[in-house]
């Protein structure tokens, strides 16, 4: 029902997740980031408790592989779950339980990990990793969007997808990018890419407005009060 990629940018210290699914509001239940700590996904018959638990483990200083291993040894019904995590150091990690749905696969790179279930092709995660790695100088969010598009082009989910989301942490406690297409009968991945293009020029300004509204540019411009 889902394919996703979690990643870090060693150049900026950002963490991010991109995800798409046939289910509604996939990012609300599957994608997790924490500034300075890491990124995680909990998918396939999702347990939304597991993403924050992975981030808690990463915050304690363990690597992603240890964080995932600890969780899979401690929680009930783990055979239904598909988990990914990336922390501030060490390789990312992935886990797919024995009851992961349909064609499923995972792929781990130096700074990113991709996974999917009910896929049209087991090569989808590897295609996402390749697209993510293609332009390391690009903004992390753009690389994530490119990865999701590449996953769809490689076959994506076996059926139509209806939701997608993009979540990125920066140097502040809240996500600096949190964009969602919670349901559409069109192409949620293309719609998410369009949202990112609209958001990208304004993202830094919204952080500045929060930290120092007196000095932030553009505040009070008609049509842009947020």
């Amino acid at each position: 029902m889902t394919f996703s990629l979690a990643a870090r940018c060693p150049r900026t210290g950002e963490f991010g997740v991109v995800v798409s699914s046939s289910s509604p509001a996939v990012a609300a239940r599957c994608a997790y980031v924490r500034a300075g700590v890491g990124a995680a996904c909990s998918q396939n018959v999702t347990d939304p408790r597991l993403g924050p638990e992975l981030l808690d483990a990463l915050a304690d200083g363990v690597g992603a592989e240890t964080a995932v291993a600890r969780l899979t040894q401690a929680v009930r019904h783990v055979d239904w779950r598909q988990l990914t995590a990336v922390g501030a150091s060490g390789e990312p990690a992935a886990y797919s339980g024995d009851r992961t749905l349909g064609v499923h696969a995972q792929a781990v790179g130096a700074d990113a990990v991709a996974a999917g279930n009910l896929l049209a092709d087991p090569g989808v995660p590897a295609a996402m990793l390749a697209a993510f790695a293609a332009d390391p100088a690009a903004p992390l969010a753009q690389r994530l969007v490119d990865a999701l598009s590449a996953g769809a082009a490689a076959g994506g989910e076996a059926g139509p997808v209806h939701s997608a989301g993009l979540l990125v942490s920066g140097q502040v406690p809240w996500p600096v990018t949190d964009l969602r297409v919670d349901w559409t009968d069109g192409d949620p991945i293309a719609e998410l890419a369009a949202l990112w293009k609209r958001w990208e020029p304004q993202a830094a300004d919204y952080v500045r407005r929060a930290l120092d509204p007196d000095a932030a540019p553009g505040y009070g411009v008609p049509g842009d009060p947020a």
Side-chain angles (χ1 to χ4, degrees), residues 202-219:
Q202 307 174 65
D205 285 344
Y206 282 116
V207 173
R208 285 191 287 267
R209 291 175 187 183
L211 299 178
D212 188 359
D214 291 324
Y219 183 74

Side-chain angles (χ1 to χ4, degrees), residues 20 50 158 210:
S20 187
L50 302 186

Side-chain angles (χ1 to χ4, degrees), residues 13 32 38 51 56-57 96 111 160 175 195-196 209:
Y32 303 89
D56 288 344
S96 296
D111 297 305
L195 276 175
W196 161 244
R209 291 175 187 183

Side-chain angles (χ1 to χ4, degrees), residues 56-81:
D56 288 344
L58 293 172
D60 287 339
V62 305
E65 187 173 349
T66 299
V68 170
R70 284 184 183 177
L71 205 61
T72 58
Q73 293 165 10
V75 301
R76 297 181 61 200
H77 310 303
V78 72
D79 53 334
W80 284 102
R81 316 304 183 192

Side-chain angles (χ1 to χ4, degrees), residues 71-196:
L71 205 61
T72 58
Q73 293 165 10
V75 301
R76 297 181 61 200
H77 310 303
V78 72
D79 53 334
W80 284 102
R81 316 304 183 192
Q82 194 172 45
L83 306 171
T84 61
V86 55
S89 61
E91 285 195 356
Y95 167 85
S96 296
D98 292 340
R99 301 177 81 173
T100 303
L101 300 172
V103 174
H104 58 274
Q106 58 196 44
V108 179
D111 297 305
V113 53
N117 55 79
L118 282 177
L119 297 172
D121 188 291
V124 168
M128 296 178 74
L129 274 189
F132 177 80
D135 187 2
L140 178 62
Q142 183 63 60
R143 299 172 69 193
L144 292 168
V145 169
D146 291 344
L148 194 64
S149 297
E157 195 172 326
V161 294
H162 292 291
S163 69
L166 172 67
L167 193 61
V168 177
S169 70
Q171 305 304 314
V172 290
W174 63 90
V176 295
T177 295
D178 186 353
L179 305 178
R180 299 178 182 180
V181 178
D182 283 341
W183 183 268
T184 180
D185 289 322
D187 183 345
I189 296 172
E191 292 182 25
L192 182 68
L195 276 175
W196 161 244

